Amino acid sequence: MKHVAALVVALLLGACSAENTTDNGAALRDIDSGRSGAEVTVSGKVAAVLPTVAGPHGAHERFLLDVTDGGHIQQIFVADNVSIASQAPLHVGDPVVVRGELAFNARGPVIHWTHRDPRFRHMPGFIEVNGQRYE
């Protein structure tokens, strides 16, 4: 039980200290090195809004995000569980900030866990658009 409490405190402190700091360069380096599981906070523009789909873990809002750092550009797939979080009203071209966990699928990089984790196993994430945060 003491370990669980320590994990919750660490998660909350980490979320408070880093959640507003975007670091596209670090995220792109994590992608280049295949570092799955990295917590990332990136800013970019919505390249495409995909249909929301139902899955075994809830409905997911999905979109493609163009993330740049210097001359490096990377399109990242974002999957946000709207069974847990509020759905963000996204449109192509919207500037957004996304915080979540980096993973990879057959098509490339994915950011997921863009919301709170009801079981406290992951750092809380979010999607921020037009000054509004969706967690």
Side-chain angles (χ1 to χ4, degrees):
M1 186 63 150
K2 200 159 68 170
H3 289 55
V4 172
L7 175 61
V8 169
V9 169
L11 289 173
L12 292 174
L13 288 174
C16 292
S17 65
E19 73 178 29
N20 292 319
T21 305
T22 61
D23 193 343
N24 289 2
L28 296 177
R29 286 188 297 278
D30 287 339
I31 290 168
D32 288 345
S33 66
R35 189 168 168 239
S36 187
E39 295 292 334
V40 297
T41 306
V42 297
S43 60
K45 290 199 183 236
V46 175
V49 178
L50 305 170
T52 298
V53 297
H57 301 290
H60 283 73
E61 168 181 38
R62 306 169 315 135
F63 62 97
L64 299 177
L65 184 66
D66 286 337
V67 175
T68 61
D69 182 55
H72 188 181
I73 184 168
Q74 175 72 55
Q75 195 163 82
I76 302 173
F77 178 78
V78 179
D80 180 42
N81 188 330
V82 295
S83 296
I84 297 173
S86 299
Q87 187 159 347
L90 298 171
H91 301 92
V92 171
D94 282 346
V96 299
V97 175
V98 174
R99 177 172 175 76
E101 182 180 279
L102 180 64
F104 296 87
N105 66 19
R107 294 183 182 160
V110 177
I111 298 176
H112 64 136
W113 289 103
T114 55
H115 49 79
R116 66 177 174 79
D117 177 3
R119 294 184 178 171
F120 301 105
R121 296 171 297 164
H122 299 273
M123 295 286 288
F126 63 83
I127 295 171
E128 191 171 282
V129 60
N130 297 321
Q132 179 68 40
R133 186 171 286 187
Y134 300 87
E135 305 179 269

